[in-house]
Amino acid sequence: MKTYAGRTAVITGAGSGFGLEASRIAARRGMNVVMADVQQDALDRAAVEIEGLGAKVLPFRVDVAKAAEVEALGAATMARFGAPSLVFNNAGVGAGGLVWENTLADWEWVIGVNLMGVAHGVRVFTPLMLAAAEKDAAYEGHIVNTASMAGLINAPNMGIYNVSKHAVVALSETLYQDLRLVTDQIGASVLCPFFVPTGITQSQRNRPGELAASQPTKSQLIGQAMSDRAVGRGKLTAAEVAQFVFDAVDEDRFYIYSHPHALSSVQTRLEDIVQARNPTDPFAAKPEIGAELKAALRAR
Ligand SMILES: NC(=O)c1ccc[n+]([C@@H]2O[C@H](COP(=O)([O-])OP(=O)(O)OC[C@H]3O[C@@H](n4cnc5c(N)ncnc54)[C@H](O)[C@@H]3O)[C@@H](O)[C@H]2O)c1
């Protein structure tokens, strides 16, 4: 995309982390900002701040896991601003633990937000953008979906999150290819961050009552402690990651990485696949972490 001012961005998970930082950049670039989030208080605070930057803002409370709510978001966006140029399907939640210990509610919650949230965003907004492109040869659009490095590798003790993020990578790569078949006016990207300090480790704050968590198992408590530590130690800021997103949209780049050095693990995984060898020990480079995790899980 080359032009931002006067155009519209729809950003999910806009109340915190990458979504809030992306809203700040969109506002500074002169865009109207549709800020969507499930957490009303965070959304209200964020919307006031972004309006303060001079942007026209439509704050919209939405649970992205719910098809009808994302459809309502699409209708509200059209009514206020018309078809968006940038759609950032970014809302997501984290959950861990040994993969057989996740409850049905855990699966429904994480897959609902991380995968179906993105699927609903794609399903609702892409046709609106295609219609705008058809009407106006000068229209440019771009869809960015947030996956994770967990969408490209499979670290243990966080299977449910890995599954959701691999699916977002698959959805995004297919979206890119499908768009190329029908238009040159709309691009697509996938954001694959590594550990960055945000609210992601406190995702349970927005877990709906009907999918409430049961008493956490030992592996889930260990997973929470490990991700608190890894995310807390992240050196890159959410603002820098949001800037990478806009840089990629500027340049029509598909894969957006926060920590390119982590791609060596992706390479190892892909070599495992093509050489049909068993999955490499993910802790080969840092055996003390693997040993600590095994000891903690096996302790009685
Ligand atoms: N921070 C990291 O280290 C990291 C790494 C890889 C991927 N990610 C991904 O980045 C994305 C953004 O997360 P973040 O790190 O900024 O965390 P965050 O918790 O700071 O922000 C996520 C936002 O999504 C909102 N949200 C949660 N459930 C929702 C729902 N059902 N409907 C609408 N909004 C909902 C939250 O209220 C919050 O404002 C997520 O998809 C996450 O999986 C984060």
Side-chain angles (χ1 to χ4, degrees):
M1 255 172 72
K2 297 292 167 231
T3 310
Y4 294 81
R7 294 186 167 173
T8 300
V10 176
I11 300 173
T12 69
S16 174
F18 303 144
L20 175 56
E21 296 295 348
S23 302
R24 289 177 176 147
I25 298 175
R28 287 200 296 268
R29 289 191 175 201
M31 301 188 86
N32 311 316
V33 193
V34 180
M35 300 178 71
D37 204 288
V38 77
Q39 191 181 329
Q40 188 74 61
D41 61 338
L43 178 60
D44 291 345
R45 276 195 305 276
V48 167
E49 183 207 313
I50 301 303
E51 253 161 7
L53 297 175
K56 288 187 197 132
V57 173
L58 172 62
F60 201 89
R61 191 197 168 277
V62 63
D63 178 348
V64 295
K66 303 230 163 81
E69 295 188 18
V70 182
E71 286 158 16
L73 174 68
T77 302
M78 288 305 284
R80 176 81 191 272
F81 297 123
S85 293
L86 178 63
V87 173
F88 187 20
N89 292 306
N90 164 74
V93 292
L98 297 169
V99 73
W100 56 87
E101 291 184 358
N102 289 120
T103 62
L104 180 59
D106 292 339
W107 282 100
E108 286 182 356
W109 178 49
V110 177
I111 298 296
V113 180
N114 291 8
L115 172 57
M116 293 314 297
V118 176
H120 295 319
V122 167
R123 184 176 62 75
V124 167
F125 285 103
T126 314
L128 302 175
M129 298 167 83
L130 285 167
E134 192 129 310
K135 269 200 229 118
D136 177 6
Y139 172 89
E140 300 171 288
H142 206 100
I143 301 168
V144 182
N145 298 329
T146 300
S148 170
M149 283 305 285
L152 300 169
I153 51 177
N154 289 298
N157 208 36
M158 49 186 285
I160 196 166
Y161 188 73
N162 295 339
V163 169
S164 71
K165 295 302 189 176
H166 275 257
V168 173
V169 172
L171 169 56
S172 305
E173 289 180 356
T174 312
L175 173 67
Y176 176 92
Q177 301 289 7
D178 285 357
L179 283 169
R180 291 279 72 79
L181 294 176
V182 300
T183 182
D184 298 323
Q185 289 168 261
I186 305 171
S189 299
V190 66
L191 171 63
C192 296
F194 206 42
F195 299 116
V196 182
T198 63
I200 194 71
T201 55
Q202 291 99 49
S203 292
Q204 296 282 342
R205 70 192 185 281
N206 290 315
R207 189 161 171 158
E210 69 272 19
L211 297 176
S214 35
Q215 193 63 22
T217 64
K218 183 161 78 170
S219 75
Q220 287 165 355
L221 292 171
I222 292 168
Q224 178 75 44
M226 286 183 82
S227 64
D228 285 351
R229 200 164 54 179
V231 168
R233 281 184 185 165
K235 299 267 184 294
L236 209 71
T237 65
E240 288 169 301
V241 174
Q243 186 57 52
F244 295 160
V245 170
F246 278 81
D247 293 346
V249 175
D250 289 344
E251 295 160 17
D252 193 20
R253 257 189 296 110
F254 180 75
Y255 294 105
I256 313 172
Y257 301 121
S258 63
H259 296 70
H261 67 83
L263 291 169
S264 59
S265 303
V266 179
Q267 182 152 12
T268 302
R269 170 173 177 262
L270 295 177
E271 282 167 10
D272 289 345
I273 291 171
V274 294
Q275 292 175 33
R277 69 186 183 209
N278 289 359
T280 296
D281 175 4
F283 302 112
K286 288 186 178 166
E288 63 292 351
I289 297 182
E292 189 189 322
L293 178 58
K294 266 190 202 168
L297 288 170
R298 291 177 190 207
R300 290 176 191 276

